[in-house]
Amino acid sequence: MTQNRSALNHLLRTTRLALHRSMLVQLGVLAGFWMAGEGVVRLVKLPVPGGIVGMVVVLALLASGWLRPASVRRGASWLLAEMLLFFVPAVMAVLDHKELIGLDGLKIAAVILLGTVTVMGGTALAVDLCWRWTQRLSREARHVDA
């Protein structure tokens, strides 16, 4: 029994060490969450991309402390650094559809620009409101303690 527990602890330590040191293992873990999200979406027939479900699971695990940021930092940093590669197929699709370069393309670009500005503005507003709320709670806590 003690040997089994010791072997299990050794396996967990080795796995954790590999996860922290290897970018490929981290990419595999992130891809696993993406595939699990895809599976959930197909099983439950959610109208949401599987990658979004996978990201929500990763966020929940990070927030709960079950997954440490160091466990996915290198893999996530690489994905963010190489993000341009993920948009190459979209650019090639635009070149195949010449109608996107004309008036339709301008309309689509305007919608994308307006959507981006709206999302960025909404995010900035939410962050500002949360920051102010935490500052107010901090001041109230200090006032109560005094």
Side-chain angles (χ1 to χ4, degrees), residues 103-126:
L103 185 59
D104 288 340
L106 286 175
K107 290 178 184 177
I108 292 170
V111 168
I112 291 171
L113 181 65
L114 182 63
T116 301
V117 168
T118 303
V119 168
M120 290 176 72
T123 302
L125 181 63

Side-chain angles (χ1 to χ4, degrees), residues 30-44:
L30 292 171
F33 282 116
W34 168 62
M35 288 188 281
E38 283 290 334
V40 167
V41 164
R42 291 174 190 220
L43 186 67
V44 184

Side-chain angles (χ1 to χ4, degrees), residues 76-89:
S77 294
W78 181 82
L79 287 171
L80 287 171
E82 303 301 329
M83 190 178 284
L84 184 61
L85 293 175
F86 300 114
F87 291 105
V88 170

